[in-house]
Amino acid sequence: MSVVRTIFLQCPPASISPLSTPSSSSSNCVPVKFSVSCCSVASPVTVVNGNVDRKPYERNEVRLGLPSKGRMATDTLDLLKDCQLSVKQVNPRQYVAEIPQLSNLEVWFQRPKDIVRKLVSGDLDLGIVGLDTVNEYGQLHGDEDLILVHEALDYGYCRLSLAIPKYGIFENVNSLKELSQMPQWTPERPLRVVTGFTYLGPKFMKENGLSHVTFSTADGALEAAPAVAVRYFEFVVGCYWLHLERCLEILLIEIRYLSMGIADAIVDLVSSGTTLRENNLKEIEGGVILESQAVLVASRRSLIQRKGVLDITHEMLERFEAHLRAVGQFTVVANMRGSSAEEVAERVLSQPSLSGLQGPTVSPVFCKRDGKVAADYYAIVICVPKKALYKSVQQLRVIGGSGVLVSPLTYIFDEETPRWRQLLSNLGL
Ligand SMILES: Nc1ncnc2c1ncn2[C@@H]1O[C@H](COP(=O)(O)OP(=O)(O)OP(=O)(O)O)[C@@H](O)[C@H]1O
Ligand SMILES: O=P(O)(O)OC[C@H]1O[C@H](OP(=O)(O)OP(=O)(O)O)[C@H](O)[C@@H]1O
Ligand SMILES: [Mg+2]
């Protein structure tokens, strides 16, 4: 028999109070309703035999999920601010905010994994999180509902990696192949991996043909887990050689970590590599599961069905693309003596670092000489990659440039953003 329950999904900081509780006689097939005190529009979801039937919900506002805390939170707000899309949060403890430039948009501050879950459930339409979180909790390959609108927001860089101890039986193991060929791993004694990535971790091992592997999960400080098994080995060897001081140290570490369980390897995010180094772990060749950075992700259903989502996505995408193109560039203005605009342009284009985005803009600088208006000088305007600035200034001087002004760029808008065209075709629009 189908068990059908209608519930109202919770808004972020809501307190939920049951309106009616199921009586024992009707517990198999009852609408169970909860009222939600934080927001006016709740999302009805039907659960049939444990499967969520995701219908587009009746609500008028468009919802964008942003990380509420952690390392992504500040950088995300900074990116939006740099794109003149500042988030207005009346009170930092409030979970709902707005971006005044985008009317009808509600910002929901959530934990990254909850942003992805809520995109899948239909409570959010758009979100900014790390690609690792999208792939782990959205399971993009199995669920075509999530679409990466911008896959490279240029912050939150890290990689999901398999790491093993540097010492003991792993000392000479430097690749995934070598790890998989170790005779130690058998059905009775598999490779024990601890990870918070319980979807991507096992998937990677399976795809790479590692069969004798078991996974356990933990939140945070995963790097300490492999220490126990290998340090035990060191302890025995240390005793043998009577390095008592080292043995005592190992024993203390052992006692500290025993409560954390035992693992041979970890699958976790790595950025600078400091945490791995401090825990005597190493990455191995072929062990990178995913390269990640911040992304703008959307629900396909919302883009197609909910009024306003596509327009807001277009504006955000345009601003992100234009801003991210601009951050790596300076505008350079210089004066140059010349006989005509063409002649000046030729000189500028003879230098490889001065061609700009679409070639230089050259305009006459007029002055009055003997009562007549004349142009002896020309102003040139070009965009120069930040990294090539000094070289460009040197090249400008070589061809007679003077009074060089350099200023940062906020946006470079193209005629059309390539990602927008791709999104429309992805949606079949
Ligand atoms: N060391 C790192 N360097 C750079 N980016 C990172 C690093 N660790 C994580 N990230 C990125 O930041 C995102 C959020 O990580 P953060 O540690 O803030 O949250 P979290 O650990 O997922 O939060 P929670 O523990 O509350 O679920 C990750 O999904 C990843 O994309
Ligand atoms: O290579 P590194 O620059 O040292 O960064 C890697 C560490 O960063 C993340 O942890 P985080 O600090 O987010 O703590 P958490 O495990 O509690 O999420 C990740 O889980 C690693 O532990
Ligand atoms: Mg973290």
Side-chain angles (χ1 to χ4, degrees), residues 152-191:
L153 295 179
D154 203 26
Y155 64 94
Y157 285 100
C158 56
R159 56 191 178 274
L160 184 63
S161 237
L162 177 73
I164 56 173
K166 283 181 182 165
Y167 43 83
I169 55 169
F170 298 100
E171 194 169 353
N172 296 317
V173 176
N174 292 307
S175 70
L176 191 62
K177 194 168 169 216
E178 286 166 2
L179 179 68
S180 69
Q181 287 170 351
M182 285 173 75
Q184 279 85 349
W185 320 131
T186 63
E188 294 74 37
R189 173 60 178 90
L191 175 76

Side-chain angles (χ1 to χ4, degrees), residues 92-379:
R93 294 193 69 82
Q94 272 181 354
Y95 285 79
V96 181
E98 60 170 14
I99 297 177
Q101 284 82 353
L102 301 173
S103 58
N104 203 31
L105 180 83
E106 214 173 59
V107 171
W108 278 29
F109 288 105
Q110 297 278 296
R111 290 193 313 171
K113 61 182 96 166
D114 290 335
I115 291 177
V116 178
R117 286 179 181 140
K118 284 187 164 69
L119 281 166
V120 172
S121 73
D123 284 299
L124 292 173
D125 305 308
L126 290 157
I128 296 180
V129 289
L131 180 64
D132 54 292
T133 316
V134 177
N135 284 10
E136 175 66 22
Y137 296 96
Q139 293 161 22
L140 267 188
H141 307 293
D143 185 341
E144 291 299 308
D145 190 50
L146 295 188
I147 291 189
L148 291 181
V149 178
H150 198 306
E151 77 301 337
L153 295 179
D154 203 26
Y155 64 94
Y157 285 100
C158 56
R159 56 191 178 274
L160 184 63
S161 237
L162 177 73
I164 56 173
K166 283 181 182 165
Y167 43 83
I169 55 169
F170 298 100
E171 194 169 353
N172 296 317
V173 176
N174 292 307
S175 70
L176 191 62
K177 194 168 169 216
E178 286 166 2
L179 179 68
S180 69
Q181 287 170 351
M182 285 173 75
Q184 279 85 349
W185 320 131
T186 63
E188 294 74 37
R189 173 60 178 90
L191 175 76
R192 294 158 306 176
V193 185
V194 64
T195 186
F197 290 81
T198 54
Y199 172 72
L200 293 175
K203 184 168 165 273
F204 175 78
M205 292 302 215
K206 206 171 153 202
E207 282 168 2
N208 283 280
L210 277 89
S211 40
H212 305 312
V213 185
T214 54
F215 278 86
S216 58
T217 184
D219 267 342
L222 298 182
E223 291 82 358
V228 179
V230 183
R231 281 179 199 273
Y232 180 73
F233 173 81
E234 275 189 25
F235 181 67
V236 174
V237 175
C239 282
Y240 182 76
W241 290 106
L242 290 178
H243 289 164
L244 289 176
E245 212 177 287
R246 176 75 182 131
C247 293
L248 195 61
E249 189 194 317
I250 292 168
L251 194 61
L252 287 175
I253 294 168
E254 190 99 325
I255 290 164
R256 232 184 314 144
Y257 289 152
L258 262 178
S259 61
M260 304 186 70
I262 294 174
D264 303 304
I266 65 162
V267 166
D268 198 10
L269 297 172
V270 183
S271 172
S272 64
T274 312
T275 316
L276 289 187
R277 262 195 310 281
E278 280 174 359
N279 286 281
N280 257 317
L281 298 172
K282 64 182 176 191
E283 291 179 275
I284 52 176
E285 197 196 317
V288 175
I289 299 169
L290 176 81
E291 295 281 357
S292 182
Q293 63 177 294
V295 299
L296 173 64
V297 58
S299 146
R300 176 189 293 272
R301 274 174 308 139
S302 295
L303 286 167
I304 295 171
Q305 296 173 8
R306 192 180 304 291
K307 194 168 165 274
V309 177
L310 207 53
D311 286 343
I312 285 179
T313 306
H314 190 198
E315 179 162 353
M316 287 181 72
L317 184 56
E318 285 241 68
R319 286 181 186 253
F320 285 171
E321 282 208 336
H323 171 68
L324 292 171
R325 268 195 94 187
V327 281
Q329 307 266 342
F330 281 126
T331 311
V332 174
V333 181
N335 282 344
M336 210 170 280
R337 198 180 270 280
S339 53
S340 70
E342 285 76 10
E343 184 264 321
V344 169
E346 225 159 82
R347 254 190 287 154
V348 173
L349 288 170
S350 70
Q351 301 293 324
S353 288
L354 302 180
S355 52
L357 290 177
Q358 285 173 326
T361 305
V362 182
S363 351
V365 179
F366 293 103
C367 62
K368 218 168 183 185
R369 211 172 347 100
D370 305 330
K372 279 189 177 172
V373 172
D376 290 343
Y377 275 93
Y378 289 81

Side-chain angles (χ1 to χ4, degrees), residues 84-101:
Q84 281 72 49
L85 293 175
S86 292
V87 177
K88 217 172 115 198
Q89 198 178 3
V90 183
N91 168 346
R93 294 193 69 82
Q94 272 181 354
Y95 285 79
V96 181
E98 60 170 14
I99 297 177
Q101 284 82 353

